[in-house]
Coordinates of all heavy atoms in Angstrom, one line a residue:
M1 N 20.2 21.6 -13.0 CA 19.5 20.5 -12.4 C 19.2 19.5 -13.5 O 18.6 19.9 -14.5 CB 18.2 20.9 -11.7 CG 17.6 19.8 -10.9 SD 16.2 20.5 -10.0 CE 16.9 20.4 -8.4
G2 N 19.6 18.3 -13.4 CA 19.3 17.3 -14.4 C 17.9 16.8 -14.5 O 17.1 17.1 -13.7
K3 N 17.6 16.1 -15.6 CA 16.3 15.7 -15.9 C 15.7 14.7 -14.8 O 14.6 14.8 -14.4 CB 16.3 15.0 -17.2 CG 14.9 14.5 -17.7 CD 15.0 13.9 -19.0 CE 13.7 13.4 -19.5 NZ 13.7 12.7 -20.8
H4 N 16.6 13.9 -14.2 CA 16.1 12.9 -13.2 C 16.6 13.2 -11.8 O 16.7 12.3 -11.0 CB 16.6 11.5 -13.6 CG 16.0 11.1 -14.9 ND1 14.7 10.7 -15.1 CD2 16.5 11.0 -16.2 CE1 14.4 10.4 -16.3 NE2 15.5 10.6 -17.0
S5 N 16.9 14.4 -11.5 CA 17.4 14.8 -10.2 C 16.3 14.8 -9.2 O 15.1 15.1 -9.5 CB 18.0 16.2 -10.2 OG 19.2 16.2 -11.0
R6 N 16.6 14.4 -8.0 CA 15.6 14.4 -6.9 C 15.7 15.7 -6.2 O 16.8 16.3 -6.1 CB 15.7 13.2 -6.0 CG 16.9 13.2 -5.2 CD 16.9 12.1 -4.2 NE 18.1 12.1 -3.4 CZ 18.3 12.9 -2.3 NH1 17.4 13.7 -2.0 NH2 19.5 12.8 -1.7
P7 N 14.6 16.3 -5.6 CA 14.8 17.5 -4.9 C 15.5 17.3 -3.6 O 15.6 16.2 -3.0 CB 13.3 17.9 -4.6 CG 12.6 16.6 -4.6 CD 13.3 15.8 -5.6
G8 N 16.2 18.3 -3.1 CA 16.9 18.3 -1.8 C 18.4 18.3 -2.0 O 18.9 18.1 -3.1
P9 N 19.1 18.5 -0.9 CA 20.5 18.5 -1.0 C 21.1 17.2 -1.4 O 20.6 16.1 -1.0 CB 20.9 18.9 0.5 CG 19.7 19.2 1.2 CD 18.5 18.8 0.4
P10 N 22.2 17.2 -2.1 CA 22.8 15.9 -2.6 C 23.5 15.1 -1.5 O 23.8 14.0 -1.7 CB 23.8 16.4 -3.6 CG 24.2 17.8 -3.3 CD 22.9 18.4 -2.7
N11 N 23.8 15.8 -0.3 CA 24.5 15.0 0.7 C 23.5 14.3 1.7 O 23.9 13.7 2.7 CB 25.3 16.0 1.5 CG 24.5 17.1 2.2 OD1 23.4 17.3 1.9 ND2 25.1 17.8 3.2
Q12 N 22.2 14.3 1.4 CA 21.2 13.6 2.2 C 20.7 12.4 1.5 O 20.4 12.5 0.3 CB 20.1 14.5 2.6 CG 20.5 15.6 3.6 CD 19.3 16.5 4.0 OE1 18.2 16.3 3.5 NE2 19.5 17.4 4.9
P13 N 20.5 11.3 2.2 CA 19.9 10.1 1.5 C 18.4 10.4 1.1 O 17.8 11.2 1.7 CB 20.0 9.0 2.6 CG 20.1 9.7 3.9 CD 20.7 11.1 3.6
S14 N 18.0 9.6 0.2 CA 16.6 9.7 -0.3 C 15.7 9.3 0.8 O 15.9 8.3 1.5 CB 16.3 8.9 -1.5 OG 15.0 8.9 -1.8
R15 N 14.5 10.0 1.0 CA 13.6 9.6 2.0 C 12.4 8.7 1.4 O 11.5 8.4 2.1 CB 13.0 10.8 2.7 CG 14.0 11.6 3.4 CD 13.4 12.9 4.0 NE 12.8 13.8 3.1 CZ 13.5 14.8 2.5 NH1 14.7 15.0 2.7 NH2 12.8 15.5 1.6
A16 N 12.6 8.4 0.2 CA 11.5 7.7 -0.5 C 11.4 6.2 -0.1 O 10.3 5.6 -0.1 CB 11.7 7.7 -2.0
V17 N 12.5 5.6 0.3 CA 12.5 4.2 0.7 C 13.0 4.1 2.1 O 14.1 4.6 2.4 CB 13.4 3.3 -0.3 CG1 13.4 1.9 0.1 CG2 12.9 3.5 -1.7
P18 N 12.4 3.3 3.0 CA 12.9 3.2 4.4 C 14.3 2.5 4.3 O 14.6 1.7 3.5 CB 11.9 2.2 5.0 CG 10.7 2.1 4.1 CD 11.1 2.6 2.8
R19 N 15.1 2.9 5.3 CA 16.4 2.3 5.4 C 16.3 0.8 5.8 O 15.4 0.4 6.4 CB 17.2 3.0 6.5 CG 17.5 4.4 6.1 CD 18.7 4.9 6.8 NE 19.1 6.1 6.1 CZ 20.3 6.4 5.9 NH1 21.3 5.6 6.2 NH2 20.6 7.6 5.3
V20 N 17.4 0.1 5.3 CA 17.5 -1.4 5.6 C 18.5 -1.5 6.7 O 19.6 -1.0 6.5 CB 17.8 -2.1 4.3 CG1 18.1 -3.6 4.6 CG2 16.8 -2.0 3.3
D21 N 18.2 -2.3 7.7 CA 19.2 -2.6 8.8 C 20.3 -3.5 8.3 O 20.0 -4.6 7.9 CB 18.4 -3.2 10.0 CG 19.3 -3.4 11.2 OD1 20.5 -2.8 11.2 OD2 18.9 -4.0 12.1
A22 N 21.5 -3.1 8.3 CA 22.6 -3.9 7.8 C 22.9 -5.1 8.7 O 23.5 -6.1 8.2 CB 23.9 -3.0 7.7
D23 N 22.5 -5.0 9.9 CA 22.8 -6.2 10.8 C 21.7 -7.2 10.7 O 21.9 -8.4 11.2 CB 22.9 -5.7 12.3 CG 24.0 -4.7 12.5 OD1 25.1 -4.9 11.8 OD2 23.9 -3.8 13.3
D24 N 20.6 -6.9 10.1 CA 19.5 -7.9 10.0 C 19.8 -8.8 8.8 O 19.8 -8.3 7.6 CB 18.2 -7.2 9.9 CG 17.0 -8.1 9.8 OD1 17.2 -9.3 10.1 OD2 15.9 -7.6 9.6
R25 N 20.0 -10.1 9.0 CA 20.2 -11.0 7.9 C 19.0 -11.2 7.0 O 19.2 -11.6 5.8 CB 20.7 -12.3 8.4 CG 22.0 -12.2 9.2 CD 22.4 -13.5 9.8 NE 22.6 -14.5 8.8 CZ 22.8 -15.8 9.0 NH1 22.8 -16.2 10.3 NH2 23.0 -16.6 8.1
L26 N 17.9 -10.9 7.5 CA 16.6 -11.1 6.7 C 16.1 -9.8 6.1 O 15.0 -9.8 5.6 CB 15.6 -11.8 7.5 CG 15.9 -13.2 8.0 CD1 14.8 -13.7 8.9 CD2 16.1 -14.1 6.8
A27 N 16.9 -8.7 6.1 CA 16.4 -7.4 5.7 C 15.9 -7.4 4.3 O 14.9 -6.9 3.9 CB 17.5 -6.4 5.9
A28 N 16.7 -8.0 3.4 CA 16.3 -8.0 2.0 C 15.0 -8.8 1.8 O 14.2 -8.4 1.0 CB 17.4 -8.6 1.1
Y29 N 14.9 -9.9 2.5 CA 13.7 -10.7 2.4 C 12.5 -10.0 2.9 O 11.4 -9.9 2.3 CB 13.8 -12.0 3.2 CG 12.6 -12.9 3.3 CD1 12.1 -13.6 2.2 CD2 11.9 -12.9 4.5 CE1 11.0 -14.4 2.4 CE2 10.7 -13.6 4.6 CZ 10.3 -14.4 3.6 OH 9.2 -15.1 3.7
N30 N 12.6 -9.3 4.0 CA 11.5 -8.5 4.6 C 11.2 -7.4 3.7 O 10.0 -7.0 3.6 CB 11.9 -8.0 6.0 CG 11.9 -9.2 7.0 OD1 11.3 -10.2 6.8 ND2 12.7 -9.0 8.0
K31 N 12.1 -6.8 3.1 CA 11.9 -5.7 2.1 C 11.0 -6.1 1.0 O 10.1 -5.4 0.5 CB 13.2 -5.1 1.6 CG 13.0 -3.9 0.8 CD 14.4 -3.3 0.3 CE 14.2 -2.2 -0.6 NZ 15.5 -1.7 -1.1
R32 N 11.3 -7.3 0.4 CA 10.5 -7.8 -0.7 C 9.1 -8.2 -0.2 O 8.2 -8.2 -1.1 CB 11.2 -9.1 -1.3 CG 12.4 -8.8 -2.1 CD 12.8 -10.0 -2.9 NE 13.0 -11.2 -2.1 CZ 14.1 -11.6 -1.6 NH1 15.2 -10.9 -1.7 NH2 14.1 -12.7 -0.9
R33 N 8.9 -8.5 1.0 CA 7.5 -8.9 1.5 C 6.7 -7.7 1.8 O 5.5 -7.9 2.1 CB 7.7 -9.8 2.8 CG 8.3 -11.1 2.4 CD 8.0 -12.1 3.3 NE 6.5 -12.2 3.6 CZ 6.0 -13.1 4.3 NH1 6.7 -14.1 4.8 NH2 4.7 -13.1 4.6
R34 N 7.2 -6.5 1.8 CA 6.4 -5.3 2.1 C 5.5 -5.1 0.9 O 5.9 -5.3 -0.3 CB 7.3 -4.1 2.3 CG 7.8 -4.0 3.6 CD 8.3 -2.5 3.9 NE 9.0 -1.9 2.8 CZ 10.3 -1.7 2.7 NH1 11.1 -2.2 3.6 NH2 10.8 -1.1 1.6
P35 N 4.3 -4.7 1.1 CA 3.4 -4.4 0.0 C 3.8 -3.2 -0.8 O 4.5 -2.3 -0.2 CB 2.0 -4.2 0.6 CG 2.3 -3.8 2.0 CD 3.6 -4.5 2.4
P36 N 3.4 -3.0 -2.0 CA 3.8 -1.8 -2.8 C 3.2 -0.6 -2.1 O 2.1 -0.6 -1.7 CB 3.1 -2.0 -4.1 CG 2.8 -3.5 -4.2 CD 2.7 -4.0 -2.8
L37 N 4.1 0.4 -1.9 CA 3.8 1.6 -1.3 C 3.2 1.4 0.1 O 2.5 2.3 0.7 CB 2.7 2.4 -2.1 CG 3.2 2.8 -3.5 CD1 2.0 3.4 -4.3 CD2 4.4 3.7 -3.5
D38 N 3.6 0.3 0.8 CA 3.1 0.0 2.1 C 1.6 0.1 2.3 O 1.1 0.5 3.3 CB 3.8 0.9 3.1 CG 5.3 0.5 3.3 OD1 5.6 -0.7 3.1 OD2 6.1 1.4 3.6
V39 N 0.9 -0.3 1.3 CA -0.6 -0.4 1.3 C -1.0 -1.8 1.6 O -0.9 -2.6 0.7 CB -1.2 0.2 0.0 CG1 -2.7 0.0 0.1 CG2 -0.8 1.6 -0.2
H40 N -1.4 -2.1 2.8 CA -1.8 -3.5 3.2 C -3.2 -3.9 2.7 O -3.5 -5.0 2.5 CB -1.7 -3.7 4.7 CG -0.2 -3.7 5.1 ND1 0.6 -4.8 5.1 CD2 0.5 -2.6 5.6 CE1 1.8 -4.4 5.6 NE2 1.8 -3.1 5.8
R41 N -4.1 -2.9 2.6 CA -5.4 -3.1 2.2 C -5.8 -2.1 1.1 O -5.4 -0.9 1.2 CB -6.4 -2.9 3.3 CG -6.4 -4.0 4.4 CD -7.4 -3.7 5.4 NE -7.7 -4.9 6.2 CZ -8.7 -5.0 7.1 NH1 -9.4 -3.9 7.3 NH2 -8.9 -6.1 7.7
R42 N -6.5 -2.6 0.1 CA -6.9 -1.6 -1.0 C -8.2 -2.1 -1.5 O -8.7 -3.2 -1.3 CB -5.8 -1.6 -2.1 CG -5.8 -2.9 -2.9 CD -4.7 -2.8 -4.0 NE -4.8 -4.0 -4.9 CZ -3.9 -4.2 -5.8 NH1 -3.0 -3.3 -6.1 NH2 -4.0 -5.3 -6.5
H43 N -8.9 -1.1 -2.2 CA -10.2 -1.4 -2.8 C -10.1 -0.9 -4.3 O -9.4 0.0 -4.6 CB -11.3 -0.7 -2.1 CG -11.1 0.8 -1.9 ND1 -11.5 1.7 -2.8 CD2 -10.5 1.5 -0.9 CE1 -11.2 2.9 -2.4 NE2 -10.6 2.8 -1.2
R44 N -10.9 -1.6 -5.1 CA -11.0 -1.2 -6.5 C -12.4 -1.4 -7.0 O -13.2 -2.2 -6.5 CB -10.1 -2.2 -7.4 CG -8.7 -2.2 -7.0 CD -8.0 -3.3 -7.7 NE -6.6 -2.9 -7.8 CZ -5.8 -3.1 -8.9 NH1 -6.3 -3.7 -9.9 NH2 -4.6 -2.6 -8.9
P45 N -12.8 -0.5 -7.9 CA -14.2 -0.7 -8.5 C -14.4 -2.1 -9.2 O -13.5 -2.5 -9.8 CB -14.3 0.4 -9.5 CG -13.2 1.4 -9.2 CD -12.1 0.6 -8.5
L46 N -15.5 -2.7 -9.0 CA -15.7 -4.0 -9.5 C -15.7 -4.0 -11.0 O -15.3 -5.0 -11.7 CB -17.1 -4.6 -9.0 CG -17.1 -5.2 -7.6 CD1 -18.5 -5.7 -7.3 CD2 -16.1 -6.3 -7.5
H47 N -16.2 -2.9 -11.6 CA -16.3 -2.9 -13.1 C -15.2 -2.0 -13.7 O -15.4 -1.6 -14.9 CB -17.7 -2.4 -13.5 CG -18.8 -3.2 -12.9 ND1 -19.0 -4.5 -13.2 CD2 -19.7 -2.9 -11.9 CE1 -20.0 -5.0 -12.5 NE2 -20.4 -4.1 -11.7
G48 N -14.1 -1.8 -13.1 CA -13.0 -1.1 -13.6 C -13.2 0.4 -13.5 O -14.2 0.9 -13.0
G49 N -12.3 1.2 -14.1 CA -12.4 2.6 -14.0 C -11.6 3.2 -12.9 O -11.0 2.5 -12.1
G50 N -11.7 4.5 -12.7 CA -11.0 5.2 -11.7 C -11.7 5.0 -10.3 O -12.9 4.8 -10.2
G51 N -10.9 4.9 -9.3 CA -11.4 4.7 -7.9 C -12.3 5.8 -7.4 O -13.1 5.6 -6.6
H52 N -12.1 7.0 -7.9 CA -12.9 8.1 -7.5 C -14.2 8.3 -8.2 O -15.1 9.1 -7.8 CB -12.1 9.4 -7.6 CG -11.7 9.8 -9.0 ND1 -10.8 9.1 -9.7 CD2 -12.2 10.7 -9.8 CE1 -10.7 9.6 -10.9 NE2 -11.5 10.6 -11.0
L53 N -14.3 7.6 -9.4 CA -15.5 7.7 -10.2 C -16.7 6.9 -9.7 O -16.4 5.8 -9.1 CB -15.2 7.4 -11.6 CG -14.1 8.2 -12.3 CD1 -13.8 7.6 -13.7 CD2 -14.6 9.6 -12.4
R54 N -17.9 7.3 -9.8 CA -19.1 6.6 -9.4 C -19.0 6.0 -8.0 O -18.8 4.8 -7.8 CB -19.3 5.5 -10.5 CG -19.6 6.0 -11.9 CD -19.9 4.9 -12.9 NE -18.9 3.9 -13.0 CZ -17.8 4.0 -13.8 NH1 -17.6 5.0 -14.5 NH2 -16.9 3.0 -13.9
P55 N -19.0 6.9 -7.0 CA -18.8 6.4 -5.6 C -19.9 5.5 -5.1 O -19.7 4.9 -4.0 CB -18.7 7.7 -4.8 CG -19.4 8.7 -5.7 CD -19.2 8.3 -7.1
D56 N -21.0 5.4 -5.8 CA -22.1 4.5 -5.3 C -22.0 3.1 -5.8 O -22.8 2.3 -5.4 CB -23.4 5.1 -5.7 CG -23.7 6.5 -5.0 OD1 -23.1 6.7 -3.9 OD2 -24.3 7.3 -5.6
E57 N -21.0 2.8 -6.7 CA -20.9 1.4 -7.2 C -20.1 0.5 -6.2 O -19.3 1.0 -5.4 CB -20.2 1.4 -8.6 CG -21.1 2.0 -9.6 CD -20.6 1.9 -11.0 OE1 -19.5 1.3 -11.2 OE2 -21.2 2.3 -12.0
P58 N -20.3 -0.8 -6.3 CA -19.6 -1.7 -5.4 C -18.1 -1.8 -5.7 O -17.7 -1.5 -6.8 CB -20.3 -3.1 -5.7 CG -21.0 -2.9 -7.0 CD -21.3 -1.5 -7.2
R59 N -17.4 -2.1 -4.6 CA -15.9 -2.2 -4.7 C -15.4 -3.6 -4.3 O -16.0 -4.2 -3.4 CB -15.3 -1.2 -3.7 CG -15.8 0.2 -3.9 CD -15.2 0.9 -5.1 NE -16.0 2.0 -5.4 CZ -15.6 3.0 -6.2 NH1 -14.3 3.0 -6.6 NH2 -16.4 4.0 -6.5
A60 N -14.4 -4.0 -4.9 CA -13.7 -5.3 -4.5 C -12.6 -4.9 -3.5 O -11.9 -4.0 -3.7 CB -13.0 -5.9 -5.7
L61 N -12.6 -5.7 -2.4 CA -11.6 -5.4 -1.3 C -10.5 -6.4 -1.4 O -10.7 -7.6 -1.6 CB -12.3 -5.5 0.1 CG -13.5 -4.7 0.3 CD1 -14.2 -5.0 1.6 CD2 -13.2 -3.2 0.1
E62 N -9.2 -5.9 -1.3 CA -8.1 -6.8 -1.5 C -7.1 -6.6 -0.3 O -7.0 -5.4 0.2 CB -7.3 -6.6 -2.8 CG -8.2 -6.8 -4.0 CD -7.5 -6.4 -5.3 OE1 -6.6 -5.5 -5.3 OE2 -7.9 -7.0 -6.3
E63 N -6.5 -7.6 0.2 CA -5.6 -7.5 1.3 C -4.3 -8.2 1.0 O -4.2 -9.2 0.3 CB -6.2 -8.2 2.5 CG -5.6 -7.9 3.8 CD -6.5 -8.2 5.0 OE1 -7.4 -9.0 4.9 OE2 -6.3 -7.6 6.1
W64 N -3.2 -7.6 1.4 CA -1.8 -8.1 1.2 C -1.6 -9.3 2.1 O -1.8 -9.2 3.3 CB -0.8 -7.0 1.5 CG 0.6 -7.4 1.2 CD1 1.6 -7.7 2.1 CD2 1.2 -7.5 -0.1 NE1 2.7 -8.0 1.4 CE2 2.6 -7.8 0.1 CE3 0.8 -7.3 -1.4 CZ2 3.5 -8.0 -1.0 CZ3 1.7 -7.5 -2.4 CH2 3.0 -7.8 -2.2
N65 N -1.1 -10.4 1.5 CA -0.9 -11.6 2.3 C 0.6 -11.9 2.5 O 1.0 -13.0 3.0 CB -1.5 -12.8 1.7 CG -0.9 -13.2 0.3 OD1 0.1 -12.6 -0.1 ND2 -1.5 -14.2 -0.3
G66 N 1.5 -11.0 2.1 CA 2.9 -11.2 2.3 C 3.6 -11.4 0.9 O 4.8 -11.3 0.8
F67 N 2.8 -11.8 -0.1 CA 3.4 -12.0 -1.4 C 2.6 -11.4 -2.5 O 3.1 -11.0 -3.5 CB 3.4 -13.5 -1.7 CG 4.3 -14.3 -0.7 CD1 3.8 -15.0 0.3 CD2 5.7 -14.2 -0.9 CE1 4.6 -15.6 1.2 CE2 6.5 -14.9 0.0 CZ 6.0 -15.6 1.1
S68 N 1.3 -11.2 -2.3 CA 0.4 -10.6 -3.4 C -0.9 -10.2 -2.7 O -1.2 -10.5 -1.6 CB 0.2 -11.6 -4.5 OG -0.6 -12.7 -4.1
Y69 N -1.7 -9.4 -3.5 CA -3.0 -9.1 -3.0 C -4.0 -10.2 -3.2 O -3.9 -10.8 -4.3 CB -3.5 -7.8 -3.7 CG -2.8 -6.5 -3.2 CD1 -1.8 -5.9 -3.9 CD2 -3.2 -6.0 -2.0 CE1 -1.2 -4.8 -3.5 CE2 -2.6 -4.8 -1.5 CZ -1.6 -4.2 -2.3 OH -1.0 -3.1 -1.8
E70 N -4.8 -10.5 -2.3 CA -5.8 -11.5 -2.4 C -7.2 -10.9 -2.1 O -7.3 -10.0 -1.3 CB -5.5 -12.7 -1.6 CG -5.5 -12.5 -0.1 CD -5.2 -13.7 0.7 OE1 -4.7 -14.7 0.2 OE2 -5.4 -13.7 1.9
P71 N -8.3 -11.4 -2.8 CA -9.6 -10.9 -2.5 C -10.0 -11.1 -1.0 O -9.7 -12.2 -0.4 CB -10.5 -11.8 -3.4 CG -9.6 -12.3 -4.4 CD -8.3 -12.5 -3.8
A72 N -10.6 -10.1 -0.5 CA -11.0 -10.2 1.0 C -12.5 -9.9 1.1 O -13.0 -9.9 2.3 CB -10.2 -9.2 1.8
G73 N -13.2 -9.6 0.1 CA -14.6 -9.3 0.2 C -15.1 -8.2 -0.8 O -14.4 -7.9 -1.8
A74 N -16.2 -7.7 -0.5 CA -16.8 -6.6 -1.3 C -17.4 -5.6 -0.4 O -17.9 -5.9 0.7 CB -17.8 -7.2 -2.3
A75 N -17.5 -4.4 -0.9 CA -18.1 -3.3 -0.2 C -19.2 -2.7 -1.1 O -19.1 -2.7 -2.3 CB -17.1 -2.2 0.2
A76 N -20.2 -2.2 -0.5 CA -21.4 -1.6 -1.3 C -21.1 -0.3 -2.0 O -21.6 0.0 -3.1 CB -22.6 -1.5 -0.4
N77 N -20.2 0.5 -1.4 CA -19.9 1.8 -2.0 C -18.5 2.2 -1.6 O -17.8 1.6 -0.9 CB -20.9 2.8 -1.7 CG -21.1 2.9 -0.2 OD1 -20.1 2.8 0.6 ND2 -22.3 3.2 0.3
L78 N -18.0 3.4 -2.1 CA -16.7 3.9 -1.9 C -16.5 4.2 -0.4 O -15.4 3.9 0.2 CB -16.5 5.2 -2.7 CG -15.1 5.9 -2.5 CD1 -14.0 5.0 -2.9 CD2 -15.1 7.1 -3.4
A79 N -17.5 4.8 0.3 CA -17.3 5.2 1.7 C -17.1 3.9 2.5 O -16.2 3.9 3.4 CB -18.5 6.0 2.2
E80 N -17.8 2.9 2.3 CA -17.7 1.6 3.1 C -16.3 1.0 2.8 O -15.6 0.5 3.7 CB -18.8 0.7 2.7 CG -18.8 -0.6 3.5 CD -20.0 -1.4 3.1 OE1 -21.1 -0.9 2.9 OE2 -19.8 -2.7 3.1
A81 N -15.8 1.1 1.5 CA -14.5 0.5 1.2 C -13.4 1.3 1.8 O -12.4 0.7 2.3 CB -14.4 0.5 -0.3
Q82 N -13.5 2.6 1.9 CA -12.5 3.4 2.5 C -12.5 3.2 4.0 O -11.4 3.1 4.6 CB -12.7 4.9 2.2 CG -12.4 5.3 0.8 CD -12.8 6.7 0.5 OE1 -13.6 7.3 1.2 NE2 -12.1 7.3 -0.5
R83 N -13.6 3.0 4.7 CA -13.7 2.6 6.1 C -12.9 1.3 6.3 O -12.1 1.2 7.3 CB -15.1 2.5 6.6 CG -15.6 3.7 7.3 CD -16.9 3.5 8.0 NE -17.9 2.9 7.3 CZ -18.8 3.5 6.4 NH1 -18.6 4.8 6.3 NH2 -19.7 2.8 5.8
W84 N -13.2 0.3 5.5 CA -12.5 -1.0 5.6 C -11.0 -0.9 5.4 O -10.2 -1.4 6.2 CB -13.1 -2.0 4.6 CG -12.4 -3.3 4.7 CD1 -12.7 -4.3 5.5 CD2 -11.4 -3.7 3.8 NE1 -11.8 -5.4 5.2 CE2 -11.0 -5.0 4.2 CE3 -10.7 -3.2 2.8 CZ2 -10.0 -5.8 3.6 CZ3 -9.7 -3.9 2.1 CH2 -9.3 -5.2 2.5
A85 N -10.6 -0.1 4.4 CA -9.1 0.1 4.2 C -8.4 0.8 5.3 O -7.3 0.5 5.6 CB -8.9 0.8 2.8
N86 N -9.1 1.8 5.9 CA -8.5 2.5 7.0 C -8.6 1.8 8.3 O -7.9 2.2 9.3 CB -9.1 3.9 7.1 CG -8.8 4.7 5.9 OD1 -7.7 4.6 5.2 ND2 -9.7 5.6 5.5
E87 N -9.4 0.8 8.4 CA -9.6 0.1 9.7 C -8.3 -0.5 10.3 O -8.0 -0.3 11.5 CB -10.6 -1.0 9.4 CG -11.1 -1.7 10.7 CD -12.1 -2.8 10.2 OE1 -13.3 -2.4 10.1 OE2 -11.8 -3.9 10.0
Q88 N -7.5 -1.1 9.5 CA -6.2 -1.7 9.9 C -5.2 -0.7 10.4 O -4.6 -0.9 11.4 CB -5.6 -2.5 8.8 CG -4.3 -3.2 9.3 CD -3.7 -4.0 8.2 OE1 -4.0 -3.8 7.0 NE2 -2.8 -4.9 8.5
R89 N -5.2 0.5 9.8 CA -4.2 1.5 10.2 C -4.6 2.0 11.6 O -3.7 2.2 12.4 CB -4.3 2.7 9.2 CG -3.5 2.4 8.0 CD -3.4 3.7 7.2 NE -3.6 3.3 5.8 CZ -4.3 3.9 4.9 NH1 -5.0 5.0 5.3 NH2 -4.4 3.5 3.7
T90 N -5.8 2.2 11.9 CA -6.2 2.7 13.3 C -6.0 1.6 14.3 O -5.6 1.9 15.4 CB -7.7 3.1 13.3 OG1 -8.5 2.0 12.9 CG2 -7.9 4.3 12.4
D91 N -6.1 0.3 14.0 CA -5.9 -0.8 14.9 C -4.4 -0.9 15.2 O -4.0 -1.2 16.3 CB -6.4 -2.1 14.4 CG -7.9 -2.2 14.4 OD1 -8.5 -1.3 15.0 OD2 -8.5 -3.0 13.7
A92 N -3.6 -0.8 14.1 CA -2.1 -0.9 14.3 C -1.5 0.2 15.1 O -0.5 0.0 15.8 CB -1.5 -1.0 12.9
T93 N -2.0 1.4 15.0 CA -1.4 2.5 15.7 C -2.0 2.7 17.1 O -1.3 3.2 17.9 CB -1.7 3.9 14.9 OG1 -3.1 4.0 14.8 CG2 -1.1 3.9 13.6
G94 N -3.1 2.1 17.4 CA -3.7 2.3 18.7 C -3.7 1.1 19.6 O -3.1 0.2 19.6

């Protein structure tokens, strides 16, 4: 097994990236507009550091606008920021 081999049989395509529809003329454009790792909302500590450290400190909320992340507000702590980030997922699926 080589240094950069991916796990799994070699005759199966990688599952890391969603397939692109060959018939869709805008597929490449739509692929570029997807947020990194398909995360539409994210939160970060206001004063830097790891996201799991100091859960009682305020968080900056950011939302994907189709081209980049833009500020969307602030949360008082980690739990509130996680609720906000997960809010869109439950609305989109339900």
Side-chain angles (χ1 to χ4, degrees):
M1 187 174 255
K3 183 177 177 184
H4 297 287
S5 294
R6 67 174 180 80
N11 63 345
Q12 291 182 356
S14 174
R15 295 179 302 269
V17 179
R19 293 208 168 219
V20 175
D21 185 12
D23 296 330
D24 185 10
R25 295 175 61 189
L26 296 175
Y29 172 75
N30 290 333
K31 183 178 177 185
R32 286 193 308 267
R33 292 203 50 172
R34 280 199 320 257
L37 301 174
D38 287 331
V39 176
H40 292 273
R41 288 179 160 189
R42 69 181 184 184
H43 54 86
R44 299 173 155 220
L46 280 179
H47 305 293
H52 63 287
L53 300 175
R54 299 183 302 275
D56 296 330
E57 289 189 1
R59 309 283 161 158
L61 306 176
E62 299 174 336
E63 196 162 19
W64 183 256
N65 67 3
F67 297 101
S68 64
Y69 285 103
E70 61 183 13
N77 55 34
L78 177 60
E80 188 177 318
Q82 288 175 336
R83 259 194 311 278
W84 177 84
N86 294 328
E87 190 175 272
Q88 183 180 16
R89 283 191 221 133
T90 56
D91 291 346
T93 60

